[in-house]
Amino acid sequence: MESAQFSPDGENLITCNRSEGTARLWYTPTFPLPIPRWLPQLAEAAAGQRLDDRGFIEIVSGTKFLRIRQEVAESKSGDRLTQWAKWFCADRATRTISPFSSNALSEYVQRRIQENTLDSLREAVLLSPTNGLAFALLARKLLPGDPSGNPREAAEAQWLSQRAVQQATL
Amino acid sequence: MISALTQRNFALPAVEPFKHESYVWSARFSPDGQRLVTCSEDGTVRVWAARTGQPLTEPLRHGARVWSAQFSPDGQRVVTASDDTTARVWDADTGEPLTDPLKHGASVHSAQFSPDGQRVATACWDGAAQVWDARTGQPLASPLNMEQRWQPWSPLSLVQMGRT
């Protein structure tokens, strides 16, 4: 990384990386404390488990998640955390790349796939973990000529291509 | 089994990447956070809208790699430092140069406005630092010379530009 700077309001971070011909703007939000009670409930429901009063893991039902998601979607509250939660719960196929962005995720991922570099494909896979094409292209990028030369990359390529096949058959 | 998801920390992108033809050496916000200025190995400087990622002017062109680009405190101008041995002051809205090139004897590595925006300080690879009138582009004093062996990546850190 060559340089990094926060925006004056702290909401974004600009970075530039020597190896790429790009500067990148990242979403680095801060939220006012204390957090509302629904936030840990959303986190527990999304994870599907919670710690009970005695510290034991308890399963949180999928219907609880669906109910909280419904409440978030219907909430009229315009505060930033609610806006974030609406984004978090929204359909990945149609939502934006980050809560206060106007860029559509699907188009953004398509462009990262078209760039077809190691970094751009890694980003596509992270943003769109059900995109079989991104997994397949990243696997091909990582495949070394001689698998014994870099076993770590060979193993990762194998795992990525399995993911690609899984996505293709869904 | 190695998971791609554990490879590195990941922040959410806010907009599309800001693209140059080659390495980007610096990217800085305007004082109001609405715009960004980037400079590159490709010899250009670009001013962007931070919210949309769109360029706001034509590229500002130097003759060689640009090391540094920064807004003035009022956000209306940009000062850049380049391997073409000059620093330049530009209108941030139009992308037009506002003064003649601020000439040094070697690569200029860093350039910065004073807090009141009236002056510019530059730092050169040959060890010289210079203060200029930001409006006329004329040098305001004789160069401040550092020892040659001193690494001049950022001599400006030694030049305290207070309001006088």
Side-chain angles (χ1 to χ4, degrees):
Chain A
M1 224 37 107
E2 289 301 326
S3 92
Q5 187 194 16
F6 276 110
S7 59
D9 62 7
E11 291 290 293
N12 292 291
L13 181 70
I14 183 75
T15 64
C16 54
N17 187 334
R18 203 181 95 124
S19 68
E20 303 170 15
T22 60
R24 305 292 309 263
L25 189 66
W26 306 99
Y27 174 59
T28 53
T30 52
F31 296 105
L33 294 173
I35 57 166
R37 283 184 50 196
W38 58 261
L39 185 62
Q41 289 173 3
L42 172 63
E44 289 168 356
Q49 48 190 328
R50 66 184 295 275
L51 290 174
D52 67 15
D53 295 339
R54 291 173 301 159
F56 293 118
I57 288 177
E58 188 177 87
I59 300 299
V60 179
S61 72
T63 53
K64 176 100 191 271
F65 177 64
L66 294 176
R67 195 172 72 239
I68 292 182
R69 194 169 72 169
Q70 185 74 21
E71 284 170 16
V72 166
E74 288 169 0
S75 170
K76 295 279 188 293
S77 168
D79 69 280
R80 288 163 42 75
L81 205 49
T82 302
Q83 284 179 287
W84 170 83
K86 281 179 192 284
W87 176 86
F88 177 78
C89 293
D91 182 356
R92 276 175 180 269
T94 54
R95 74 181 180 186
T96 55
I97 52 176
S98 50
F100 302 101
S101 172
S102 51
N103 294 62
L105 178 69
S106 55
E107 292 162 21
Y108 185 89
V109 168
Q110 279 310 313
R111 278 193 283 275
R112 297 293 81 76
I113 289 173
Q114 280 162 14
E115 277 172 33
N116 201 25
T117 66
L118 199 56
D119 284 338
S120 77
L121 291 170
R122 282 199 192 284
E123 193 181 356
V125 160
L126 284 162
L127 284 173
S128 183
T130 55
N131 190 311
L133 178 61
F135 276 96
L137 288 169
L138 182 55
R140 188 198 279 174
K141 269 273 182 279
L142 281 169
L143 261 186
D146 172 14
S148 62
N150 192 334
R152 188 174 185 278
E153 286 195 349
E156 189 182 358
Q158 189 190 1
W159 182 83
L160 289 164
S161 48
Q162 283 168 0
R163 280 295 301 255
V165 172
Q166 283 167 10
Q167 296 308 326
T169 52
L170 278 181
Chain B
M1 200 58 70
I2 301 158
S3 162
L5 301 176
T6 61
Q7 294 271 313
R8 60 176 184 185
N9 294 326
F10 189 66
L12 288 169
V15 291
E16 291 280 332
F18 303 92
K19 280 205 168 78
H20 276 271
E21 300 295 319
S22 184
Y23 307 148
V24 178
W25 287 105
S26 159
R28 310 295 289 179
F29 278 100
S30 60
D32 64 4
Q34 299 296 308
R35 288 170 297 164
L36 287 159
V37 62
T38 58
C39 62
S40 166
E41 183 80 11
D42 67 16
T44 69
V45 175
R46 304 226 61 171
V47 178
W48 313 82
R51 191 168 293 277
T52 64
Q54 294 301 307
L56 292 172
T57 67
E58 291 295 305
L60 320 185
R61 294 189 188 282
H62 269 282
R65 169 196 298 145
V66 187
W67 286 113
S68 120
Q70 289 192 14
F71 283 96
S72 57
D74 63 6
Q76 294 181 352
R77 290 163 295 160
V78 164
V79 66
T80 58
S82 168
D83 264 0
D84 69 8
T85 74
T86 71
R88 300 218 71 169
V89 179
W90 313 78
D91 185 312
D93 292 325
T94 66
E96 297 295 324
L98 291 172
T99 68
D100 287 336
L102 316 182
K103 279 192 198 298
H104 272 279
S107 285
V108 188
H109 276 265
S110 174
Q112 196 175 327
F113 282 98
S114 59
D116 63 5
Q118 305 278 318
R119 290 165 297 161
V120 162
T122 54
C124 180
W125 176 249
D126 65 10
Q130 178 75 58
V131 181
W132 312 75
D133 184 314
R135 222 155 290 280
T136 65
Q138 294 303 308
L140 284 176
S142 51
L144 313 163
N145 277 300
M146 310 285 168
E147 284 185 57
Q148 289 280 345
R149 62 186 166 80
W150 195 75
Q151 283 297 309
W153 283 90
S154 170
L156 277 186
S157 57
L158 299 182
V159 182
Q160 294 298 320
M161 296 190 62
R163 293 165 204 267
T164 54

